[in-house]
Amino acid sequence: MAAKIRLSERMQMIASHVASGDRAADIGTDHGYIPVWLISSGVTDKVILTDVNEGPLEKAAGNFERYLPGFRPEMRRGNGLEVLEPGEADDIIIAGMGGILISKILDAGSDVASAASKLVLQPRNHSFSLRHYLRGLEGFTTVCEEIAVEDRRYCEIITVKRKDLLTDAEKELAAAVTELEKELGLGERIYDELPVMYALSGRYPEYIEYKCRTEQQVIDNIAANGHSEHADMRKKRAEERLDAFSKIGAAAR
């Protein structure tokens, strides 16, 4: 009897954004756990696994053999989206990479990305850089922001969808995000780092508090270690960020 795969909270959140029957592509698949789960759970029967190296694809093939004996997944070796043709995948997953790298992958494969219905992105760092890129991604809008905790790290999951495919609820959410950003007036740089969608959902007060504590720690450390022109500039910037994050936190209550 084949083993039953169980996903971590992070991977389960990512997988949950693949719609039933959609063709999916997992870019930089590594172990292939999400594609295995999508196939074995009956969400879809079409997932393309890609990776720039052969080793991860071999590992993924081994996991398919373990959990879905006899199933032969479609695997392609190559960089980013270059191994896909426009329209081959409805939902494109890019997870576990830096936000700057994800932005570069989307930019280099813009013909493939723009033909997809949805992009499910999980940056390991520099999420603000990715959000900045996504703000300028024509034809798409952010429909969901989530956080999973894995190995004591906050993992942000950003899902963007083609504007012509938005549901009424997603359109209302986008309008509410725009309205709250306008009301708070804190600037894109702040919202790229701490999106007001977290405030609207009311689900992540602990993350907003964490962001505030981080800035307060910077302020306290500088105050304890004396002053210099550079330190005073850093302290002023931290105070401005703390004030902005506090306002987003207040909006969540």
Side-chain angles (χ1 to χ4, degrees), residues 163-252:
K163 290 181 178 179
D164 61 320
L165 298 176
L166 295 180
T167 64
D168 288 342
E170 289 165 344
K171 291 176 183 176
E172 289 174 6
L173 176 61
V177 166
T178 300
E179 184 61 30
L180 184 53
E181 287 184 348
K182 184 187 300 184
E183 179 183 325
L184 294 177
L186 302 177
E188 285 186 6
R189 181 62 179 79
I190 290 296
Y191 303 137
D192 289 341
E193 185 160 351
L194 186 56
V196 298
M197 194 172 285
Y198 290 155
L200 286 173
S201 72
R203 292 173 56 192
Y204 303 111
E206 72 286 349
Y207 182 71
I208 299 175
E209 290 168 6
Y210 159 76
K211 298 290 285 186
C212 290
R213 286 198 309 273
T214 300
E215 299 305 325
Q216 186 63 59
Q217 187 174 19
V218 171
I219 296 167
D220 293 344
N221 288 344
I222 293 173
N225 291 309
H227 296 278
S228 69
E229 184 177 349
H230 176 66
D232 288 344
M233 287 177 59
R234 287 186 61 223
K235 181 172 180 288
K236 183 175 184 296
R237 187 163 61 245
E239 288 170 342
E240 291 171 347
R241 286 157 57 84
L242 174 58
D243 180 63
F245 294 160
S246 297
K247 288 177 179 176
I248 293 175

XYZ file of all heavy atoms in Angstrom, residues 163-252:
712
model
N -6.639 39.942 -13.685
C -7.746 40.828 -13.356
C -9.034 40.445 -14.070
O -10.131 40.623 -13.530
C -7.373 42.271 -13.690
C -6.316 42.856 -12.763
C -5.996 44.294 -13.129
C -4.970 44.884 -12.175
N -4.604 46.278 -12.507
N -8.926 39.900 -15.278
C -10.139 39.548 -16.012
C -10.809 38.287 -15.473
O -11.907 37.933 -15.908
C -9.832 39.391 -17.508
C -8.823 38.290 -17.792
O -7.850 38.164 -17.017
O -8.998 37.556 -18.775
N -10.168 37.619 -14.503
C -10.732 36.400 -13.928
C -11.177 36.578 -12.481
O -11.606 35.619 -11.844
C -9.694 35.265 -14.000
C -9.237 34.857 -15.399
C -8.140 33.796 -15.303
C -10.405 34.333 -16.232
N -11.091 37.804 -11.964
C -11.426 38.045 -10.566
C -12.908 37.790 -10.287
O -13.769 38.142 -11.087
C -11.096 39.486 -10.178
C -9.636 39.912 -10.204
C -9.512 41.373 -9.793
C -8.778 39.032 -9.325
N -13.177 37.199 -9.128
C -14.558 37.061 -8.674
C -15.013 38.404 -8.097
O -14.200 39.302 -7.844
C -14.673 35.984 -7.582
O -13.929 36.416 -6.428
C -14.107 34.652 -8.069
N -16.309 38.538 -7.844
C -16.818 39.774 -7.246
C -16.178 40.014 -5.874
O -15.846 41.154 -5.524
C -18.338 39.711 -7.114
C -19.042 39.824 -8.460
O -18.396 40.293 -9.420
O -20.217 39.440 -8.541
N -16.016 38.940 -5.102
C -15.411 39.070 -3.774
C -13.971 39.546 -3.870
O -13.516 40.361 -3.060
C -15.477 37.737 -3.028
N -13.238 39.046 -4.859
C -11.845 39.459 -5.047
C -11.750 40.919 -5.507
O -10.846 41.647 -5.098
C -11.160 38.524 -6.040
C -10.907 37.133 -5.462
C -10.563 36.097 -6.514
O -10.813 36.352 -7.718
O -10.057 35.029 -6.138
N -12.693 41.346 -6.318
C -12.733 42.755 -6.726
C -13.018 43.662 -5.534
O -12.411 44.733 -5.400
C -13.804 42.955 -7.805
C -13.483 42.314 -9.155
C -14.647 42.479 -10.124
C -14.372 41.779 -11.439
N -15.536 41.844 -12.366
N -13.919 43.222 -4.668
C -14.249 44.003 -3.475
C -13.042 44.092 -2.545
O -12.780 45.151 -1.954
C -15.437 43.364 -2.748
C -16.754 43.514 -3.492
C -17.884 42.754 -2.826
O -17.654 42.204 -1.720
O -18.994 42.701 -3.394
N -12.303 42.988 -2.418
C -11.110 42.995 -1.577
C -10.057 43.944 -2.134
O -9.459 44.726 -1.376
C -10.529 41.580 -1.474
C -9.210 41.450 -0.703
C -9.382 41.912 0.746
C -8.689 40.012 -0.745
N -9.824 43.893 -3.436
C -8.845 44.791 -4.061
C -9.215 46.243 -3.833
O -8.355 47.090 -3.549
C -8.739 44.485 -5.554
N -10.510 46.547 -3.939
C -10.973 47.924 -3.712
C -10.775 48.327 -2.255
O -10.387 49.463 -1.963
C -12.441 48.044 -4.100
N -11.008 47.388 -1.327
C -10.839 47.681 0.099
C -9.368 47.925 0.430
O -9.044 48.794 1.254
C -11.385 46.528 0.937
N -8.477 47.161 -0.190
C -7.036 47.349 0.014
C -6.625 48.743 -0.465
O -5.926 49.477 0.240
C -6.228 46.269 -0.733
C -4.748 46.648 -0.817
C -6.380 44.920 -0.047
N -7.058 49.107 -1.650
C -6.740 50.434 -2.201
C -7.257 51.539 -1.296
O -6.560 52.537 -1.039
C -7.331 50.583 -3.613
O -6.774 49.576 -4.472
C -7.021 51.951 -4.191
N -8.472 51.389 -0.803
C -9.088 52.396 0.055
C -8.325 52.549 1.372
O -8.086 53.673 1.842
C -10.545 52.021 0.337
C -11.311 53.051 1.156
C -11.396 54.411 0.465
O -11.410 54.455 -0.783
O -11.448 55.423 1.196
N -7.931 51.410 1.985
C -7.215 51.477 3.254
C -5.817 52.059 3.070
O -5.337 52.830 3.912
C -7.144 50.098 3.902
C -6.504 50.042 5.302
C -7.173 51.033 6.255
C -6.569 48.627 5.865
N -5.161 51.717 1.983
C -3.850 52.301 1.697
C -3.966 53.815 1.553
O -3.127 54.572 2.065
C -3.261 51.687 0.427
C -2.766 50.255 0.605
C -2.102 49.699 -0.632
O -2.210 50.327 -1.709
O -1.472 48.637 -0.527
N -5.019 54.242 0.873
C -5.241 55.687 0.690
C -5.537 56.352 2.034
O -5.034 57.450 2.321
C -6.397 55.910 -0.286
C -6.649 57.374 -0.624
C -7.912 57.537 -1.453
C -7.843 56.792 -2.775
N -9.062 57.044 -3.601
N -6.327 55.686 2.842
C -6.712 56.243 4.144
C -5.499 56.393 5.071
O -5.344 57.413 5.744
C -7.749 55.332 4.793
C -8.231 55.784 6.163
C -9.212 54.793 6.764
O -10.000 54.195 6.000
O -9.178 54.616 7.989
N -4.622 55.375 5.085
C -3.452 55.420 5.963
C -2.351 56.303 5.390
O -1.593 56.917 6.144
C -2.918 54.005 6.212
C -3.849 53.064 6.996
C -3.240 51.682 7.107
C -4.136 53.632 8.383
N -2.227 56.324 4.059
C -1.285 57.216 3.394
C 0.164 57.022 3.798
O 0.911 57.984 3.954
N 0.601 55.782 3.948
C 1.951 55.508 4.439
C 2.974 55.288 3.334
O 4.169 55.240 3.600
C 1.923 54.266 5.353
C 0.992 54.377 6.566
C 0.976 53.080 7.344
C 1.403 55.538 7.460
N 2.528 55.111 2.121
C 3.463 54.939 1.015
C 3.670 53.486 0.630
O 3.596 52.579 1.474
N 3.948 53.266 -0.651
C 4.072 51.909 -1.178
C 5.165 51.113 -0.477
O 5.032 49.909 -0.278
C 4.349 51.937 -2.685
C 3.132 52.278 -3.527
C 3.405 52.147 -5.010
O 4.502 51.674 -5.382
O 2.527 52.521 -5.806
N 6.279 51.758 -0.127
C 7.395 51.029 0.474
C 6.975 50.328 1.758
O 7.380 49.191 2.016
C 8.562 51.990 0.749
C 9.799 51.330 1.363
C 10.360 50.277 0.407
N 11.550 49.657 0.955
C 11.563 48.713 1.880
N 10.420 48.263 2.368
N 12.688 48.187 2.314
N 6.133 50.998 2.545
C 5.628 50.380 3.772
C 4.686 49.230 3.442
O 4.768 48.138 4.012
C 4.911 51.423 4.654
C 5.936 52.405 5.242
C 4.118 50.752 5.767
C 6.947 51.791 6.175
N 3.775 49.456 2.501
C 2.793 48.413 2.171
C 3.447 47.214 1.489
O 2.945 46.091 1.582
C 1.689 48.983 1.275
C 0.970 50.159 1.874
C 0.671 51.278 1.111
C 0.604 50.159 3.212
C 0.020 52.374 1.661
C -0.044 51.250 3.777
C -0.330 52.351 2.997
O -0.972 53.432 3.554
N 4.577 47.453 0.812
C 5.292 46.326 0.214
C 5.889 45.438 1.304
O 6.034 44.232 1.117
C 6.409 46.825 -0.712
C 5.877 47.444 -1.993
O 4.702 47.175 -2.330
O 6.619 48.190 -2.650
N 6.235 46.037 2.428
C 6.826 45.254 3.517
C 5.768 44.684 4.457
O 5.899 43.573 4.955
C 7.815 46.108 4.302
C 8.545 45.326 5.355
C 9.831 45.976 5.806
O 10.248 46.966 5.183
O 10.409 45.486 6.782
N 4.731 45.465 4.713
C 3.656 45.010 5.592
C 2.322 45.357 4.946
O 1.768 46.438 5.173
C 3.777 45.673 6.972
C 2.808 45.186 8.058
C 2.923 43.687 8.262
C 3.071 45.919 9.366
N 1.799 44.479 4.113
C 0.599 44.801 3.337
C -0.630 44.990 4.219
O -0.816 44.280 5.204
C 0.431 43.575 2.420
C 1.154 42.476 3.113
C 2.309 43.120 3.832
N -1.448 45.960 3.847
C -2.650 46.216 4.636
C -3.652 45.071 4.504
O -4.604 45.001 5.280
C -3.325 47.552 4.235
C -2.386 48.727 4.487
C -3.793 47.529 2.796
N -3.426 44.173 3.581
C -4.310 43.001 3.480
C -4.261 42.189 4.774
O -5.243 41.548 5.154
C -3.914 42.136 2.282
C -4.967 41.106 1.912
S -4.612 40.229 0.375
C -5.004 41.493 -0.844
N -3.102 42.209 5.468
C -3.027 41.540 6.768
C -3.962 42.204 7.772
O -4.581 41.541 8.595
C -1.595 41.577 7.309
C -0.616 40.707 6.561
C 0.742 41.013 6.567
C -1.026 39.580 5.860
C 1.664 40.220 5.894
C -0.125 38.793 5.172
C 1.220 39.119 5.199
O 2.132 38.328 4.519
N -4.036 43.526 7.713
C -4.928 44.247 8.616
C -6.385 43.957 8.299
O -7.207 43.759 9.197
C -4.655 45.749 8.524
N -6.716 43.917 7.009
C -8.100 43.660 6.601
C -8.557 42.262 7.004
O -9.708 42.060 7.390
C -8.235 43.840 5.083
C -8.223 45.277 4.573
C -8.185 45.304 3.052
C -9.438 46.047 5.068
N -7.654 41.294 6.903
C -8.033 39.919 7.242
C -8.166 39.737 8.744
O -8.938 38.902 9.221
C -7.001 38.924 6.700
O -5.788 38.995 7.437
N -7.390 40.524 9.517
C -7.425 40.385 10.964
C -6.812 39.093 11.476
O -6.933 38.756 12.654
N -6.107 38.381 10.591
C -5.604 37.057 10.962
C -4.188 37.067 11.527
O -3.771 36.083 12.134
C -5.638 36.137 9.734
C -7.023 35.791 9.248
C -6.959 35.016 7.937
N -6.156 33.818 8.030
C -5.764 33.110 6.984
N -6.081 33.514 5.757
N -5.050 32.019 7.120
N -3.456 38.148 11.342
C -2.033 38.090 11.669
C -1.563 39.199 12.601
O -0.556 39.853 12.344
C -1.211 38.106 10.373
C -1.587 36.977 9.449
C -2.233 37.238 8.255
C -1.328 35.655 9.787
C -2.607 36.200 7.405
C -1.700 34.614 8.967
C -2.336 34.891 7.761
O -2.703 33.863 6.934
N -2.268 39.431 13.697
C -1.816 40.475 14.627
C -0.439 40.175 15.201
O 0.340 41.087 15.469
C -2.901 40.475 15.715
C -3.517 39.107 15.637
C -3.486 38.751 14.180
N -0.123 38.879 15.392
C 1.173 38.532 15.964
C 2.320 38.896 15.026
O 3.414 39.274 15.465
C 1.230 37.038 16.325
C 1.315 36.064 15.164
C 0.010 35.892 14.399
O -1.042 36.363 14.853
O 0.056 35.256 13.325
N 2.070 38.830 13.710
C 3.119 39.197 12.758
C 3.318 40.712 12.748
O 4.458 41.198 12.708
C 2.776 38.705 11.350
C 3.863 39.025 10.333
C 5.079 38.357 10.373
C 3.675 40.005 9.362
C 6.088 38.654 9.465
C 4.673 40.304 8.446
C 5.875 39.620 8.495
O 6.880 39.923 7.606
N 2.233 41.451 12.795
C 2.332 42.916 12.850
C 3.058 43.334 14.128
O 3.925 44.221 14.111
C 0.936 43.556 12.764
C 0.256 43.173 11.441
C 1.033 45.073 12.880
C -1.178 43.655 11.305
N 2.744 42.664 15.237
C 3.430 42.957 16.492
C 4.914 42.628 16.386
O 5.762 43.354 16.937
C 2.784 42.156 17.633
C 1.387 42.638 17.997
C 0.666 41.667 18.913
O 1.311 40.675 19.341
O -0.525 41.883 19.188
N 5.242 41.542 15.710
C 6.641 41.163 15.502
C 7.385 42.251 14.727
O 8.510 42.619 15.080
C 6.703 39.831 14.759
C 8.005 39.563 14.046
C 9.148 39.181 14.749
C 8.085 39.692 12.658
C 10.347 38.948 14.085
C 9.273 39.454 11.988
C 10.401 39.079 12.707
O 11.583 38.854 12.044
N 6.746 42.786 13.691
C 7.371 43.859 12.907
C 7.594 45.088 13.772
O 8.633 45.756 13.676
C 6.502 44.206 11.705
C 6.302 43.077 10.703
C 7.555 42.760 9.932
C 7.848 43.790 8.871
N 9.005 43.407 8.020
N 6.634 45.403 14.627
C 6.783 46.549 15.532
C 7.909 46.305 16.537
O 8.712 47.208 16.811
C 5.470 46.810 16.269
S 4.137 47.464 15.226
N 7.974 45.091 17.089
C 9.030 44.782 18.063
C 10.409 44.885 17.428
O 11.374 45.342 18.071
C 8.842 43.369 18.628
C 7.710 43.222 19.623
C 7.867 41.945 20.447
N 8.068 40.769 19.627
C 7.082 40.025 19.110
N 5.824 40.375 19.335
N 7.341 38.952 18.396
N 10.513 44.465 16.166
C 11.797 44.529 15.476
C 12.292 45.965 15.372
O 13.469 46.252 15.611
C 11.673 43.911 14.066
O 11.277 42.537 14.196
C 12.999 43.976 13.322
N 11.391 46.878 15.019
C 11.778 48.281 14.909
C 12.078 48.877 16.278
O 13.019 49.664 16.422
C 10.683 49.084 14.204
C 10.381 48.644 12.790
C 11.607 48.621 11.894
O 12.496 49.488 12.050
O 11.692 47.730 11.033
N 11.305 48.497 17.294
C 11.552 49.003 18.643
C 12.910 48.537 19.146
O 13.624 49.287 19.831
C 10.443 48.526 19.594
C 10.543 49.123 20.994
C 10.378 50.628 20.993
O 9.359 51.146 20.557
N 11.388 51.348 21.475
N 13.285 47.314 18.800
C 14.595 46.797 19.208
C 15.725 47.598 18.574
O 16.738 47.875 19.215
C 14.718 45.317 18.823
C 15.976 44.655 19.347
C 15.999 43.167 19.088
O 15.276 42.652 18.243
N 16.831 42.455 19.820
N 15.551 47.978 17.317
C 16.554 48.814 16.642
C 16.689 50.146 17.387
O 17.806 50.607 17.664
C 16.163 49.064 15.167
C 17.088 50.125 14.545
C 16.221 47.782 14.362
N 15.552 50.741 17.722
C 15.557 52.026 18.439
C 16.253 51.881 19.788
O 17.104 52.700 20.166
C 14.111 52.531 18.621
C 13.474 52.833 17.258
C 14.072 53.761 19.525
C 11.971 53.032 17.309
N 15.917 50.824 20.530
C 16.497 50.617 21.862
C 17.998 50.360 21.776
O 18.771 50.859 22.612
C 15.807 49.446 22.567
C 14.352 49.739 22.896
O 13.959 50.928 22.859
O 13.603 48.782 23.161
N 18.423 49.570 20.796
C 19.847 49.258 20.649
C 20.668 50.512 20.346
O 21.757 50.699 20.890
C 20.055 48.226 19.539
C 19.595 46.845 19.940
O 19.393 46.565 21.129
N 19.423 45.962 18.970
N 20.129 51.358 19.475
C 20.836 52.591 19.129
C 20.899 53.519 20.340
O 21.935 54.122 20.630
C 20.161 53.286 17.935
C 20.334 52.430 16.663
C 20.748 54.686 17.712
C 19.558 52.932 15.467
N 19.797 53.603 21.074
C 19.773 54.456 22.261
C 20.773 53.991 23.316
O 21.366 54.799 24.032
C 18.362 54.479 22.851
N 20.987 52.676 23.390
C 21.888 52.117 24.398
C 23.357 52.216 24.010
O 24.240 52.131 24.871
C 21.529 50.648 24.652
N 23.633 52.402 22.722
C 25.011 52.348 22.239
C 25.560 53.697 21.790
O 26.571 53.762 21.105
C 25.123 51.337 21.093
C 24.930 49.912 21.571
O 25.555 49.482 22.515
N 24.028 49.190 20.921
N 24.918 54.769 22.175
C 25.450 56.083 21.855
C 25.000 56.574 20.494
O 24.343 55.852 19.740
N 25.388 57.800 20.183
C 24.893 58.455 18.981
C 26.011 58.704 17.971
O 27.176 58.856 18.318
C 24.237 59.799 19.343
C 23.019 59.652 20.197
N 21.782 59.362 19.671
C 22.853 59.734 21.534
C 20.900 59.282 20.653
N 21.530 59.505 21.796
N 25.611 58.710 16.735
C 26.457 59.134 15.615
C 25.493 59.597 14.535
O 24.282 59.343 14.621
C 27.339 57.993 15.104
O 26.540 57.004 14.470
N 26.001 60.262 13.548
C 25.116 60.731 12.484
C 24.402 59.565 11.811
O 23.189 59.616 11.560
C 25.926 61.525 11.452
C 25.050 62.141 10.360
C 25.837 62.991 9.383
O 27.022 63.273 9.649
O 25.258 63.364 8.342
N 25.164 58.484 11.537
C 24.571 57.305 10.892
C 23.541 56.649 11.812
O 22.453 56.265 11.377
C 25.663 56.309 10.526
C 25.144 55.036 9.938
N 24.499 54.985 8.721
C 25.142 53.764 10.423
C 24.143 53.742 8.459
N 24.514 52.981 9.478
N 23.886 56.507 13.092
C 22.970 55.874 14.048
C 21.691 56.682 14.207
O 20.589 56.121 14.286
C 23.662 55.703 15.394
N 21.825 57.998 14.253
C 20.643 58.852 14.389
C 19.722 58.731 13.179
O 18.493 58.757 13.322
C 21.068 60.307 14.580
C 21.674 60.551 15.961
O 21.487 59.689 16.842
O 22.324 61.595 16.142
N 20.316 58.574 11.987
C 19.506 58.377 10.775
C 18.767 57.051 10.835
O 17.586 56.967 10.494
C 20.402 58.439 9.537
C 20.886 59.839 9.186
S 22.007 59.835 7.759
C 20.950 59.106 6.512
N 19.468 56.000 11.302
C 18.833 54.683 11.426
C 17.720 54.724 12.463
O 16.659 54.118 12.278
C 19.869 53.635 11.818
C 20.835 53.250 10.700
C 21.739 52.112 11.127
N 20.966 50.935 11.450
C 21.199 50.144 12.510
N 22.162 50.443 13.359
N 20.462 49.069 12.722
N 17.953 55.439 13.543
C 16.941 55.535 14.604
C 15.707 56.267 14.081
O 14.566 55.839 14.334
C 17.527 56.264 15.807
C 16.562 56.410 16.990
C 17.307 56.965 18.206
C 16.380 57.117 19.404
N 15.441 58.244 19.235
N 15.902 57.339 13.354
C 14.779 58.092 12.798
C 13.977 57.220 11.835
O 12.742 57.218 11.851
C 15.287 59.347 12.084
C 14.185 60.250 11.532
C 14.781 61.518 10.951
C 13.687 62.482 10.488
N 12.886 61.934 9.396
N 14.685 56.458 10.981
C 13.997 55.587 10.039
C 13.209 54.500 10.768
O 12.079 54.175 10.405
C 15.021 54.958 9.079
C 14.393 54.163 7.944
C 15.383 53.918 6.821
N 16.540 53.147 7.265
C 17.780 53.606 7.292
N 18.035 54.848 6.908
N 18.778 52.858 7.705
N 13.812 53.932 11.829
C 13.120 52.901 12.610
C 11.891 53.471 13.298
O 10.848 52.812 13.384
C 14.073 52.288 13.632
N 11.981 54.697 13.796
C 10.838 55.334 14.446
C 9.705 55.575 13.457
O 8.524 55.370 13.791
C 11.278 56.661 15.080
C 12.148 56.479 16.317
C 12.771 57.771 16.802
O 12.831 58.749 16.005
O 13.209 57.807 17.970
N 10.053 55.983 12.251
C 9.033 56.195 11.214
C 8.362 54.879 10.842
O 7.132 54.824 10.661
C 9.678 56.837 9.985
C 10.121 58.278 10.209
C 10.948 58.809 9.058
O 11.381 57.993 8.202
O 11.170 60.044 9.008
N 9.172 53.811 10.735
C 8.609 52.496 10.379
C 7.748 51.958 11.515
O 6.690 51.379 11.273
C 9.741 51.534 10.035
C 10.379 51.813 8.684
C 11.795 51.255 8.596
N 11.830 49.835 8.858
C 11.593 48.900 7.936
N 11.311 49.256 6.692
N 11.662 47.620 8.233
N 8.195 52.147 12.750
C 7.405 51.698 13.896
C 6.059 52.408 13.918
O 5.013 51.777 14.152
C 8.167 51.962 15.196
C 7.400 51.669 16.498
C 6.946 50.216 16.546
C 8.268 52.004 17.707
N 6.058 53.705 13.661
C 4.810 54.465 13.621
C 3.886 53.949 12.521
O 2.680 53.760 12.744
C 5.115 55.941 13.391
C 3.852 56.789 13.339
O 3.125 56.858 14.356
O 3.576 57.379 12.273
N 4.456 53.655 11.358
C 3.655 53.157 10.231
C 3.101 51.777 10.521
O 1.901 51.515 10.306
C 4.511 53.124 8.960
N 3.942 50.888 11.062
C 3.474 49.536 11.368
C 2.420 49.555 12.467
O 1.470 48.770 12.448
C 4.642 48.646 11.777
C 5.652 48.384 10.682
C 6.936 47.964 10.993
C 5.327 48.557 9.346
C 7.863 47.715 9.997
C 6.243 48.320 8.332
C 7.528 47.888 8.670
N 2.565 50.474 13.407
C 1.579 50.605 14.493
C 0.230 51.041 13.938
O -0.821 50.575 14.396
C 2.071 51.608 15.538
O 3.264 51.154 16.158
N 0.245 51.932 12.944
C -1.010 52.364 12.333
C -1.687 51.215 11.589
O -2.914 51.082 11.618
C -0.744 53.519 11.367
C -0.405 54.823 12.073
C -0.079 55.934 11.089
C 0.235 57.237 11.843
N 0.648 58.308 10.901
N -0.893 50.373 10.921
C -1.475 49.202 10.258
C -2.037 48.250 11.300
O -3.128 47.675 11.117
C -0.410 48.507 9.376
C -0.029 49.410 8.202
C -0.938 47.164 8.847
C 1.103 48.880 7.333
N -1.315 48.092 12.417
C -1.805 47.242 13.491
C -3.106 47.759 14.075
O -4.032 46.994 14.366
N -3.197 49.066 14.238
C -4.426 49.671 14.765
C -5.602 49.444 13.821
O -6.742 49.242 14.255
C -4.209 51.164 15.015
N -5.319 49.474 12.513
C -6.374 49.248 11.518
C -6.887 47.812 11.564
O -8.000 47.535 11.117
C -5.858 49.575 10.124
N -6.070 46.928 12.116
C -6.481 45.521 12.182
C -7.395 45.252 13.366
O -8.055 44.212 13.420
C -5.229 44.625 12.315
